[in-house]
């Protein structure tokens, strides 16, 4: 029986992970769950899966959660400190890192420090602190298995291969809802349009990131840290059908790809059961019905945020943390209709130009860069308003 801690259990990845657990009660057991604000869903999940502890980060909702869990023996923790305590003190085998944003970093580091394996969806953790995560992971001998569909695809393509035989990683990108929208129309894009992803049903932040294509840039950085492949050997190709989830090219010019219909349950399940594969009732690709698979280069001028992420990968140090935090703020403000879609890259770029630049940063440096960028971008937006 594998004991799991699901951090971010009320989100899109968390809910999908719990659906897999529901289908395999003989293999997995839930030790702890967490949410930011959604006390109602967290309580329902806790009453169904009976974890030892739950944590709610928004302390204003905690009394409500305690009321809903009254009469059970489930321990209720709160705030970011509670999240770190839960990651450190509870005894589980694997963390499902499904928190959105850099808020996932500290609990992930705590889980690694206490020897838990990580099934990682929370790409921002690797973007802001990839080197720190890798160093700790090696020191504590834990496994880090990607959930992100592209990285799961790359991971699956590499099983049985020697790292030195890899020539190139090719990440596929759907291109999002504005792939064919002329850039002149970007200033009129509404929140509702940006939230309508053509292929994937995901949380709001990653859906906006997919519309600006910064999501693919975050994934390139994530791939660098996960697989130790140099930046100039990682490429992005637009593939609007989202059937080929990513590819690895080897030194003999052979290319391996992983294919499937777009459903996050497949990579989540693979991360939970690796190295085994478990059965499920999901549909597979029907090659006869597939009319065509297209691939073409991304337009880096139109999707400027993608270029910014490649710039951050070239510099590394604290620059990706600044870029990521700036992006988290602008996405939040765009969702609140306080800035325009077209203005997103300019705020990120300005933060990257002016932000702290430290090579081989410590955790404190990374957290400070994150804090700086959040304040800087928030001030910029408020001033312009
Ligand atoms: P959601 O927004 O759907 O869920 C996020 C989860 O994190 C929720 O449980 C939320 O709680 C919690 N949360 C939000 N903010 C905080 C915070 N500040 N502190 C602690 N917990 C917080 O996100 P997704 O499930 O879509 O994405 C999660 C991660 O997985 C992201 O990093 C994303 O990039 C990555 N990912 C997601 C994919 C997808 O298909 N959704 C695909 C590949 C990667 P509450 O519900 O209370 O707000």
């Amino acid at each position: 029986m594998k004991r799991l801690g699901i951090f971010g259990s009320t989100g899109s990845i968390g809910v999908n992970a719990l659906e897999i657990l529901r289908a395999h009660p003989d293999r997995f057991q839930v030790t702890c769950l967490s949410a930011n604000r959604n006390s109602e869903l967290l309580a329902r999940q806790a009453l169904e899966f009976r974890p030892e502890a739950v944590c709610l980060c928004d302390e204003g909702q905690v009394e409500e959660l305690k009321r809903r869990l009254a009469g059970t023996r489930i321990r209720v923790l709160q705030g970011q400190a509670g999240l770190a305590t839960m990651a450190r003190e509870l005894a589980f085998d694997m963390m499902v890192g499904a928190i959105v944003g850099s808020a996932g970093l500290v609990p992930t580091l705590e889980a690694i420090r206490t020897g838990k394996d990580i099934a990682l969806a929370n790409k921002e953790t690797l973007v802001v602190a990839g080197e720190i995560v890798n160093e700790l992971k090696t020191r504590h001998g834990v496994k880090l298995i990607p959930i992100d569909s592209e990285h799961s695809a790359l991971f699956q393509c590499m099983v049985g291969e020697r790292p030195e035989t890899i020539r190139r990683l090719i990440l596929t990108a759907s291109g999002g809802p504005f792939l064919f929208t002329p850039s002149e129309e970007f200033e009129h894009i509404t929140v509702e349009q940006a939230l309508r992803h053509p292929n994937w049903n995901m949380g709001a932040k990653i859906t906006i990131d997919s519309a600006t294509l910064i999501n693919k840039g975050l994934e390139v950085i994530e791939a660098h840290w996960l697989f130790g492949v140099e930046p100039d050997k990682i490429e992005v190709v637009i593939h609007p059908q989202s059937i080929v989830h990513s590819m690895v090219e080897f030194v003999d010019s052979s290319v391996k790809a992983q294919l499937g219909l777009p459903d996050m349950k497949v990579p989540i399940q693979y991360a939970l059961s690796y190295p085994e594969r478990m059965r499920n009732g999901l549909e597979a690709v029907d090659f006869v019905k597939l009319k065509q698979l297209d691939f073409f280069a991304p337009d880096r001028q139109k999707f400027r945020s993608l270029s910014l992420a490649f710039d951050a990968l070239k510099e590394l140090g604290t620059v990706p943390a600044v870029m990521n935090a700036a992006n988290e703020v602008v996405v939040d403000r765009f969702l609140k209709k306080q800035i325009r879609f077209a203005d997103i890259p300019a705020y990120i770029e300005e933060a990257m130009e002016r932000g702290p630049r430290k090579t081989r940063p410590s955790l404190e440096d990374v957290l400070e860069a994150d804090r700086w960028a959040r304040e800087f971008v928030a001030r910029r937006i408020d001033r312009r308003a």
Side-chain angles (χ1 to χ4, degrees):
M1 189 72 90
K2 196 182 256 185
R3 297 165 301 171
L4 299 174
I6 307 192
F7 287 67
S9 62
T10 52
S12 161
I13 293 288
V15 166
N16 272 309
L18 286 174
E19 219 172 289
I20 295 164
L21 269 49
R22 202 174 276 127
H24 298 278
D26 51 322
R27 299 198 48 148
F28 304 108
Q29 182 184 321
V30 178
T31 304
C32 51
L33 299 169
S34 86
N36 189 31
R37 240 175 234 141
N38 194 343
S39 59
E40 199 250 313
L41 180 55
L42 183 61
R44 263 196 284 131
Q45 292 176 338
L47 291 172
E48 178 183 353
F49 289 93
R50 297 285 164 167
E52 289 171 32
V54 293
C55 179
L56 197 66
C57 293
D58 183 335
E59 305 194 13
Q61 301 288 315
V62 172
E63 286 315 311
E64 171 63 16
L65 180 64
K66 284 187 177 159
R67 192 187 60 72
R68 287 175 189 270
L69 296 182
T72 71
R73 299 172 67 175
I74 301 167
R75 187 176 158 200
V76 177
L77 297 155
Q78 53 184 297
Q80 297 299 331
L83 209 54
T85 304
M86 196 165 86
R88 189 174 53 242
E89 290 183 5
L90 272 281
F92 53 94
D93 304 302
M94 178 177 251
M95 166 195 252
V96 177
I99 289 175
V100 62
S102 61
L105 173 61
V106 170
T108 306
L109 296 179
E110 290 293 351
I112 296 175
R113 281 193 194 104
T114 45
K116 283 110 176 175
D117 289 332
I118 312 288
L120 191 73
N122 175 224
K123 63 191 83 184
E124 295 90 345
T125 279
L126 280 179
V127 170
V128 306
E131 198 167 6
I132 297 169
V133 170
N134 276 349
E135 202 261 313
L136 272 183
K137 180 189 93 164
T138 309
R139 195 185 316 157
H140 295 279
V142 306
K143 287 200 218 65
L144 182 61
I145 303 172
I147 282 182
D148 221 342
S149 59
E150 294 77 2
H151 304 75
S152 176
L154 295 170
F155 187 83
Q156 293 183 52
C157 291
M158 287 178 202
V159 170
E161 304 288 353
R162 292 212 318 270
E164 63 275 20
T165 63
I166 294 165
R167 189 154 70 192
R168 227 167 28 124
L169 304 182
I170 306 155
L171 277 87
T172 55
S174 71
F178 309 122
L179 182 57
F180 302 111
T181 308
S183 41
E184 308 82 72
E185 289 176 25
F186 272 26
E187 56 188 272
H188 305 299
I189 287 172
T190 64
V191 171
E192 292 71 23
Q193 287 169 327
L195 283 174
R196 231 174 281 137
H197 194 281
N199 304 345
W200 296 95
N201 186 10
M202 310 179 284
K205 193 253 177 188
I206 185 176
T207 305
I208 302 303
D209 285 351
S210 300
T212 62
L213 252 66
I214 201 168
N215 181 52
K216 210 47 55 180
L218 301 178
E219 288 179 8
V220 169
I221 302 174
E222 182 185 9
H224 166 67
W225 291 120
L226 269 174
F227 304 113
V229 172
E230 289 310 308
D232 60 347
K233 293 182 178 164
I234 309 176
E235 285 173 31
V236 170
V237 55
I238 302 289
H239 167 48
Q241 292 88 358
S242 298
I243 296 291
V244 176
H245 296 309
S246 277
M247 300 172 262
V248 180
E249 183 184 294
F250 295 92
V251 287
D252 60 356
S253 302
S254 182
V255 177
K256 277 191 185 176
Q258 188 262 345
L259 283 71
L261 296 177
D263 187 332
M264 283 308 295
K265 281 201 263 322
V266 178
I268 298 171
Q269 177 177 306
Y270 186 77
L272 299 184
S273 67
Y274 173 81
E276 282 178 51
R277 286 190 187 271
M278 298 190 309
R279 288 171 201 279
N280 57 32
L282 300 176
E283 217 185 312
V285 177
D286 181 337
F287 286 93
V288 178
K289 277 196 198 147
L290 273 184
K291 289 200 185 60
Q292 63 187 78
L293 295 177
D294 299 305
F295 301 93
F296 46 92
D299 182 341
R300 291 226 215 155
Q301 272 182 333
K302 185 163 114 177
F303 294 102
R304 175 112 194 87
S305 299
L306 176 62
S307 287
L308 292 173
F310 271 101
D311 293 345
L313 177 59
K314 251 185 249 151
E315 284 211 49
L316 290 179
T318 42
V319 178
V322 168
M323 175 199 67
N324 178 72
N327 181 56
E328 287 191 31
V329 175
V330 289
V331 169
D332 178 57
R333 297 298 190 104
F334 171 67
L335 287 168
K336 290 177 176 149
K337 306 192 175 181
Q338 294 171 355
I339 63 167
R340 298 179 314 168
F341 185 84
D343 296 334
I344 287 177
Y347 286 112
I348 301 172
E349 187 166 14
E350 198 182 356
M352 285 170 67
E353 277 167 9
R354 298 188 174 215
R357 283 187 153 62
K358 267 210 168 168
T359 46
R360 314 242 27 223
S362 64
L363 178 60
E364 289 66 36
D365 296 332
V366 163
L367 295 175
E368 178 50 35
D370 178 283
R371 218 175 0 253
W372 179 90
R374 281 171 201 277
E375 277 175 27
F376 176 80
V377 176
R379 241 184 294 123
R380 272 284 186 276
I381 293 173
D382 292 341
R383 204 175 301 159
R384 267 173 221 174

